[in-house]
Amino acid sequence: MSDFPPWPDVVGSAEKKIDVDVAHTARIWNYWLGGRDNYPVDRRAGDEIRAIHPGIGDYAQADRDFLDRSVTYLAGEVGIRQFLDIGTGLPTAGNTHEVAQRIAPDARVVYVDNDPLVLVHARALLRGTSEGAIDYVDADLRDVDTILAAAARTLDFTRPVGLVLLGVVIFLGDDEDPYGIVRRLLDALPAGSHLVLSHTVTGPAMPDVDAAVAYWNQHGTPHLTQRTPDRIAAFFEGLDLLDPGIVPCSRWRPNPPPRTPPAEVAMYGAVARKP
Ligand SMILES: C[S@@+](CC[C@H](N)C(=O)[O-])C[C@H]1O[C@@H](n2cnc3c(N)ncnc32)[C@H](O)[C@@H]1O
C-alpha cells in the first residue's frame, strides 16, 4: 500500500510504510468508531483494551460528538470560517469540513496527520463544497513551521482560525515541549481564534483507564501520555476558557441539554478563545 501515487495537491511524502504488525492509533480509533480501515493487529489490541476499559468505545464516540458540537458552535455562533485540524484521524462520519461547511459552505479546512494510512484515505476528506476549500498536509504535529507554511496555502492567518487538536497532544511526551508546540501554533493565529482540544485523563478513580493506556503503551504506537485535568488546563493558559470549562467531552454543551449529565468519559475537552 506504500506505492500509491502521490497527489499534486497534498503536501508530504507518500514513502512512509504502513506497519501492519503493530497497532496504530488512527486505525484502532477507527475500529472503536465502527470503521473498516484497520488491520487484525488493531482489532486484537482494540478488543484487549475494551476488555480492560469497557467504556473505550463511548469515549471515542464522545470525542467525535464533541468535535461536532464545538465546530458547529465555532462556525455558527462565533462565525469562524477557517479550521486547522491536526491529528485528523481516518475519515469517518462528521469530519471537520462536513460539520463546518454544513453551517458555512465557504469554510476552509486544513487537515494534518502523520499516519500513512490516513494519507491514503485523505482523498475522502478533500470533497467539500465548491465555495469552501480543503487541504491535507502529511506532517507531524512537532513540525510546527512545516504545518504553518503548508496551511498558509489555504488559510488566511490574519483572520480567526479554529485550531482543532482532538486526541493528539496525548502523543507528545512531557519531554517534547507539548505546551510550547501548542503555544507556537496559537502564536501564529490572530485574536478571536479558538482552541478546541481533547485529552485522555488520568486520576485516582480511573484504574481501568490507566491499565488500558499501559496496555496501549506496551502494544501500540505512538506512545500515549495521560495528563491530569490540571495539566490539561495548562494547554489553555492565556486563553479565555468558554463554559463549561474543561470537562469530560461528553459533558461539553450536550445538545439537547439532558435531564441528567451524560456519562463521564476519560477524554476531557474544552474550547477557549484567544483574546
Ligand atoms: C486518537 S486519533 C484522533 C482522531 C481525531 N482527531 C478524533 O478526535 O477523532 C489520533 C490521530 O492523531 C494522529 N497523530 C498522532 N500523533 C501525531 C503527530 N505527532 N502528528 C500528527 N498526527 C498525529 C494519529 O495518526 C491519529 O490519526
Side-chain angles (χ1 to χ4, degrees), residues 93-113:
N95 302 296
T96 297
H97 74 279
E98 291 163 332
V99 179
Q101 292 184 344
R102 190 174 65 212
I103 313 270
D106 59 339
R108 305 174 77 82
V109 177
V110 173
Y111 290 113
V112 181
D113 205 290

Side-chain angles (χ1 to χ4, degrees), residues 1-6 12-18 116 119-120 138:
M1 290 182 85
S2 58
D3 57 351
F4 55 87
S13 157
E15 305 301 317
K16 288 188 287 186
K17 295 271 187 296
I18 294 166
L119 176 61
V120 171
D138 174 33

Side-chain angles (χ1 to χ4, degrees), residues 25-26 29 63-64 87-89 113-115 140-142 166-167 171:
T25 174
W29 197 245
D63 174 77
R64 296 301 300 183
T88 304
D113 205 290
N114 68 350
D115 184 304
D140 195 293
L141 171 59
R142 298 168 183 85
L166 293 182
F171 298 113

Side-chain angles (χ1 to χ4, degrees), residues 162-186:
L163 175 60
V164 179
L165 297 175
L166 293 182
V168 67
V169 298
I170 53 177
F171 298 113
L172 298 175
D174 284 332
D175 57 349
E176 296 184 289
D177 192 20
Y179 302 102
I181 288 171
V182 173
R183 180 61 41 207
R184 283 171 59 208
L185 287 164
L186 286 166

